[in-house]
Amino acid sequence: MRQLETVTIAVSDTEEMLPGTSFGLNNLQLIDMDEPAARILDAVSGQIYSPLGDMVHTLEKGGSPAQQAAALNVIFDKVILVERIKDLSRTTIPLTISLKPGDQLHHANKQLIISIGDIKYSNFTLFNLGSDGTINFLDPHTESPFNDSLTIDIGKAYELPLKVKPPFGADHFVAITSRKPMLELHKELKSVDGQTNPAKVTKILEKYLIADADRQVGVHGVFTTGVLP
């Protein structure tokens, strides 16, 4: 997969950043607001915005410079991971992933449905990357009490009901179908389930997802807010 260049992010109110934060950053460069940047960090609110102006995550206030730097590293390790997955999806047979009722900003407690269509292979993998970089392995859980099947129906959309809850911002759902079961991939993704370690997920996917005709890969962003309508 393509190696992403260092991510640049413009910072408003740089005096609000704790001294020393920038020294602990990996693959991330803080620049002034008057320089061109794809992403913006509001240092007062802790909110991070995408190139399209969507709020993707809110950093927790407080903490040491090392803690602030570590949180930023995780968020942008996720940015790199999502871009690599998008690159990979372009080299495989497309999966259609959509969100019901639509891709607008969704508020806390809203009921949503992730729908996956154009499925060519029955063996299935689904996981989520939370706005804070947390990995959530969703399907399949073949062990008790879930007893999920390794496969889903071809020719029929797979649908997963969701409820909007914290952390708010930009979640990304990643779906993979394959000709053969990907049991080792499942094992390694489960090993990081609940962790904030997108850099490790990047290595896992690079190990197992070879871009060939026997895979489908799709990723879809879901943008949420804790502010009630």
Side-chain angles (χ1 to χ4, degrees):
M1 287 186 272
R2 173 177 62 93
Q3 297 292 318
L4 193 68
E5 297 293 332
T6 297
V7 176
T8 58
I9 181 168
V11 182
S12 66
D13 299 296
T14 52
E15 64 273 11
E16 293 289 332
M17 296 287 291
L18 289 179
T21 297
S22 61
F23 294 105
L25 299 176
N26 302 323
N27 302 317
L28 178 63
Q29 180 183 0
L30 302 182
I31 62 177
D32 294 331
M33 285 294 292
D34 57 358
E35 297 186 48
R39 297 165 183 86
I40 295 175
L41 167 63
D42 185 328
V44 174
S45 67
Q47 293 180 333
I48 300 172
Y49 294 89
S50 75
L52 297 178
D54 297 306
M55 194 276 288
V56 298
H57 186 64
T58 301
L59 294 170
E60 292 186 8
K61 300 296 288 183
S64 66
Q67 290 171 326
Q68 285 192 346
L72 283 169
N73 284 333
V74 169
I75 299 306
F76 287 96
D77 281 346
K78 183 202 164 182
V79 169
I80 292 170
L81 172 56
V82 169
E83 290 303 315
R84 291 182 179 178
I85 294 171
K86 288 179 179 178
D87 281 348
L88 181 59
S89 71
R90 298 184 187 106
T91 68
T92 64
I93 301 171
L95 271 175
T96 301
I97 306 180
S98 59
L99 183 67
K100 300 176 181 179
D103 285 325
Q104 66 268 29
L105 182 66
H106 295 287
H107 299 267
N109 300 320
K110 177 86 172 184
Q111 297 288 342
L112 308 174
I113 296 175
I114 287 282
S115 180
I116 302 170
D118 295 325
I119 298 166
K120 306 299 182 185
Y121 304 113
S122 61
N123 289 285
F124 188 60
T125 306
L126 179 67
F127 63 95
N128 173 63
L129 302 168
S131 68
D132 61 350
T134 299
I135 297 93
N136 299 295
F137 183 82
L138 299 174
D139 201 355
H141 286 280
T142 56
E143 67 278 5
S144 179
F146 305 102
N147 300 313
D148 293 332
S149 171
L150 289 172
T151 62
I152 56 175
D153 293 334
I154 295 176
K156 177 183 177 181
Y158 170 97
E159 293 193 338
L160 176 70
L162 305 167
K163 184 177 182 179
V164 175
K165 58 183 181 179
F168 303 108
D171 279 46
H172 287 82
F173 289 81
V174 182
I176 303 164
T177 69
S178 56
R179 189 180 300 278
K180 298 178 180 179
M182 302 193 73
L183 301 179
E184 291 302 315
L185 172 63
H186 297 168
K187 181 179 179 180
E188 293 209 33
L189 288 175
K190 287 179 182 179
S191 74
V192 293
D193 187 34
Q195 298 180 20
T196 52
N197 197 345
K200 186 170 182 179
V201 175
T202 300
K203 294 179 180 179
I204 292 171
L205 295 183
E206 287 175 341
K207 181 177 179 181
Y208 291 103
L209 291 187
I210 301 171
D212 59 28
D214 292 332
R215 307 275 191 273
Q216 287 180 283
V217 179
V219 57
H220 194 84
V222 177
F223 295 89
T224 63
T225 177
V227 178
L228 295 175

